[in-house]
């Protein structure tokens, strides 16, 4: 029964020290499993999925030429631990390939270049048109980081950042759904379902988004729950202090397609907690196993 699966997922969440919000649903049906799936939560970098949908939509509409090249000047733009922020030399790259970096490795520089091109108001209009009332992208990456710096009193170097307590972090806007990029588990899977059924944008745009989500490289969260040959996993992670998220679609060789969203918030501030990454794969796999039963 669904209640037993939910109880099992909640129990494992407590074991690894997190609270969980989850939704799993058949892409081509209505069967679903939910754990507090309508609660607004900080999306972290999961917000890059609606950004990708709007970029692809504008590409299909001829408003953006996805093949147009722009030059990123090394050492400029948003901070990021990987991707373009680490480049020593200038690079010329297309909007399409920036989207691959934005989704594939969650490149913050690539994300903000895309957001600056398509505009936050356009993303808001897309979300409204799709009926995603609890999903919002009020900031790009640099805007999110600026709220953290302001909330820390204007000083947030590495030493100060890693010394923040759980109580101090929870007061920051970046972890308060009403003040940051946000969504719900249910709205996340609804958006993915629309992308997979070519309902979120023109068919070519949805195909582009599916392609970008298929390039994500991280295997330690959602993908860790699916080991059988032939299963394809498309996803997007999100990470903030105490927050580990991932949403995605899992495709089975028999044609079954399932959208799943797992959002977590830790009970402590430990950054190194691989069991919490693995929990996302466990919870997603257990939920989809029930959907397929």
């Amino acid at each position: 029964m669904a209640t037993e699966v939910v109880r099992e997922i909640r129990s494992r969440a407590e074991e690894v020290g997190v609270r969980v919000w989850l939704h799993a649903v058949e892409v081509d049906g209505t069967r679903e499993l939910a754990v507090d799936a309508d609660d607004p939560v900080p999306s972290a970098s999961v917000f890059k999925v609606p950004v990708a949908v709007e970029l692809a939509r504008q590409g299909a509409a001829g408003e953006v030429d996805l093949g147009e090249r722009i030059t990123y000047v090394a050492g400029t733009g948003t901070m990021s631990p990987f991707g373009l922020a680490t480049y020593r030399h200038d690079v010329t790259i297309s909007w399409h390939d920036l989207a691959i970096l934005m989704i594939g490795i969650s490149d913050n520089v690539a994300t903000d270049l895309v957001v600056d091109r398509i505009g936050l108001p356009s993303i808001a209009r897309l979300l409204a048109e799709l009926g995603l009332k609890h999903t919002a992208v009020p900031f790009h990456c640099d805007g999110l980081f600026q709220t953290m710096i302001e909330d820390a009193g204007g000083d947030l170097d590495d030493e100060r950042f890693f010394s923040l307590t759980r109580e101090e972090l929870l007061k920051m806007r970046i972890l308060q759904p009403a003040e940051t990029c946000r969504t719900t588990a249910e709205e996340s899977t609804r958006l993915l379902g629309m992308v997979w059924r070519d309902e979120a944008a023109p068919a070519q745009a949805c195909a582009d988004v599916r392609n970008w989500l298929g390039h994500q490289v991280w295997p330690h969260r959602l993908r860790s729950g699916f080991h059988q040959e032939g299963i394809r996993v498309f996803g997007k992670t999100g990470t903030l202090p105490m927050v580990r998220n991932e949403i995605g679609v899992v495709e089975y060789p028999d044609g079954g397609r399932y959208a799943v969203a797992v959002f977590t918030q830790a009970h402590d501030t430990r950054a190194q907690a691989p069991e919490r990454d693995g929990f996302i794969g466990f919870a997603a796999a257990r939920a989809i196993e029930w959907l397929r039963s």
Side-chain angles (χ1 to χ4, degrees):
M1 294 179 61
T3 53
E4 296 174 355
V5 178
V6 169
R7 189 180 304 115
E8 182 182 354
I9 290 171
R10 288 189 189 276
S11 176
R12 179 67 68 87
E14 284 303 314
E15 288 177 10
V16 301
V18 300
R19 181 179 174 186
V20 60
W21 298 262
L22 176 147
H23 192 251
V25 64
E26 299 168 323
V27 169
D28 305 298
T30 58
R31 201 165 193 229
E32 62 181 345
L33 186 101
V35 180
D36 295 333
D38 294 321
D39 292 354
V41 291
S43 52
S45 285
V46 166
F47 87 82
K48 295 168 186 177
V49 175
V51 172
V53 174
E54 177 58 16
L55 173 65
R57 186 204 66 77
Q58 290 192 20
E63 299 167 19
V64 173
D65 177 1
L66 296 182
E68 178 189 1
R69 269 69 169 172
I70 67 164
T71 296
Y72 165 69
V73 178
T76 64
T78 308
M79 63 179 179
S80 183
F82 33 70
L84 293 173
T86 68
Y87 283 24
R88 179 177 296 177
H89 308 293
D90 298 355
V91 62
T92 299
I93 188 170
S94 70
W95 294 110
H96 177 278
D97 293 345
L98 282 170
I100 290 178
L101 292 176
M102 173 177 71
I103 299 298
I105 63 171
S106 206
D107 188 321
N108 293 333
V109 171
T111 301
D112 285 1
L113 290 170
V114 169
V115 172
D116 288 343
R117 177 65 179 84
I118 64 177
L120 289 173
S122 294
I123 301 167
R125 283 193 296 272
L126 172 76
L127 293 170
E129 290 168 3
L130 296 179
L132 303 176
K133 299 179 181 179
H134 301 292
T135 301
V137 183
F139 302 103
H140 57 14
C141 297
D142 189 59
L144 290 171
F145 297 148
Q146 289 304 315
T147 69
M148 291 185 69
I149 293 170
E150 292 169 8
D151 292 345
D155 179 19
L156 195 60
D157 58 19
D158 285 350
E159 182 178 356
R160 166 74 171 132
F161 177 76
F162 288 109
S163 69
L164 291 170
T165 66
R166 184 174 188 273
E167 291 69 27
E168 289 173 321
L169 286 168
L170 288 174
K171 291 177 182 178
M172 288 188 161
R173 284 170 285 171
I174 201 167
L175 293 183
Q176 298 178 26
E179 303 291 336
T180 190
C181 294
R182 58 192 175 273
T183 189
T184 70
E186 188 278 331
E187 288 197 356
S188 295
T189 60
R190 199 186 330 160
L191 175 59
L192 289 171
M194 287 188 282
V195 169
W196 253 252
R197 295 188 301 269
D198 292 340
E199 298 169 357
Q204 181 55 57
C206 289
D208 282 338
V209 177
R210 293 193 296 270
N211 174 50
W212 298 334
L213 288 166
H215 281 286
Q216 182 180 243
V217 301
W218 311 125
H220 57 306
R221 292 186 185 170
L222 181 57
R223 196 179 303 270
S224 70
F226 301 91
H227 309 290
Q228 302 95 318
E229 290 293 331
I231 294 179
R232 302 180 67 195
V233 179
F234 305 75
K236 180 69 199 78
T237 58
T239 308
L240 288 171
M242 301 193 300
V243 168
R244 286 170 165 85
N245 304 331
E246 187 160 1
I247 71 172
V249 169
V250 182
E251 296 183 348
Y252 282 73
D254 62 8
R257 307 189 298 177
Y258 308 90
V260 61
V262 184
F263 296 86
T264 71
Q265 184 178 89
H267 300 328
D268 59 55
T269 62
R270 281 192 298 133
Q272 300 300 320
E275 71 278 8
R276 295 172 181 172
D277 294 312
F279 166 76
I280 292 176
F282 162 81
R286 190 67 188 88
I288 292 175
E289 178 186 351
W290 181 83
L291 292 179
R292 289 175 59 80
S293 63

